[in-house]
C-alpha cells in the first residue's frame, strides 16, 4: 500500500501556483477523466505551533473544478514536470485573480484536493507550500 505523502513546494507571496501530480486509483492504475466524478480544492493557512490548526482562505474554500480541466487522460511529461520520466495526470493552475491564496510570506499553506471517483473512496491529494 502506498504511503500518504504531502507534495512539497514553494510559492511567491500573492502569486499563483501550477500544481502537478501523478494520481493512481485504488486499482493501482493512473486515474483518467472517466474515473473521476468531481474535484474540489481548499487552500488552508497552517499554524506552525498547532499541527491540527488550519484556516481556509477566502475564495479558495471547497472550490469545485471541472474534471476535464485538471485530470489528464494521458501522462504529461513537459518541462514543468521534473519528478521523473513517467509524467503527471493532474494539473491545476490556481486562479488568484479574484482572491490571493498565499498572502503572507514566511507562512506555510496546504492545498488539499478531494477527487471523488465515480466508484470508490475519495482520493485526497495535498500540496504543502511555503510562501516566500
Amino acid at each position: 500500500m502506498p504511503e500518504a505523502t504531502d507534495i512539497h513546494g514553494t510559492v511567491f507571496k500573492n502569486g499563483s501556483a501550477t500544481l502537478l501530480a501523478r494520481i493512481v486509483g485504488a486499482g493501482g492504475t493512473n486515474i483518467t477523466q472517466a474515473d473521476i466524478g468531481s474535484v474540489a480544492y481548499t487552500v488552508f493557512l497552517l499554524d506552525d505551533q498547532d499541527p491540527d490548526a488550519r484556516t481556509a482562505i477566502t475564495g479558495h474554500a471547497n472550490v469545485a473544478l471541472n474534471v476535464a480541466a485538471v485530470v489528464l487522460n494521458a501522462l504529461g511529461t513537459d518541462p514543468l514536470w521534473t519528478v521523473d520520466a513517467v509524467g503527471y495526470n493532474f494539473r491545476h493552475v490556481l486562479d488568484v485573480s479574484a482572491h490571493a491564496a498565499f498572502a503572507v510570506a514566511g507562512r506555510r499553506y496546504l492545498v488539499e484536493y478531494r477527487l471523488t471517483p465515480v466508484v470508490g473512496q475519495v482520493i485526497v491529494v495535498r500540496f504543502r507550500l511555503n510562501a516566500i
Side-chain angles (χ1 to χ4, degrees):
M1 171 175 25
E3 291 185 28
T5 304
D6 289 339
I7 301 165
H8 293 267
T10 304
V11 294
F12 288 115
K13 173 184 173 179
N14 294 322
S16 181
T18 299
L19 303 171
L20 307 171
R22 183 173 51 251
I23 302 173
V24 176
T29 59
N30 296 323
I31 64 165
T32 64
Q33 294 169 3
D35 299 325
I36 305 300
S38 65
V39 178
Y41 80 91
T42 301
V43 178
F44 298 99
L45 176 62
L46 299 177
D47 181 344
D48 288 334
Q49 304 308 312
D50 182 354
D52 290 325
R54 59 189 201 174
T55 304
I57 303 299
T58 301
H60 296 282
N62 201 32
V63 177
L65 300 172
N66 180 317
V67 172
V70 296
V71 175
L72 308 174
N73 284 327
L75 295 176
T77 56
D78 56 51
L80 291 176
W81 182 256
T82 59
V83 176
D84 57 30
V86 178
Y88 63 90
N89 60 351
F90 177 87
R91 182 180 193 267
H92 180 228
V93 179
L94 202 62
D95 184 357
V96 296
S97 58
H99 300 280
F102 313 110
V104 183
R107 296 292 301 271
R108 289 183 315 127
Y109 292 84
L110 182 72
V111 183
E112 182 177 274
Y113 293 90
R114 299 183 68 79
L115 292 80
T116 304
V118 174
V119 176
Q121 300 295 314
V122 170
I123 300 168
V124 177
V125 179
R126 299 186 344 171
F127 294 84
R128 192 171 295 265
L129 306 172
N130 296 315
I132 59 172

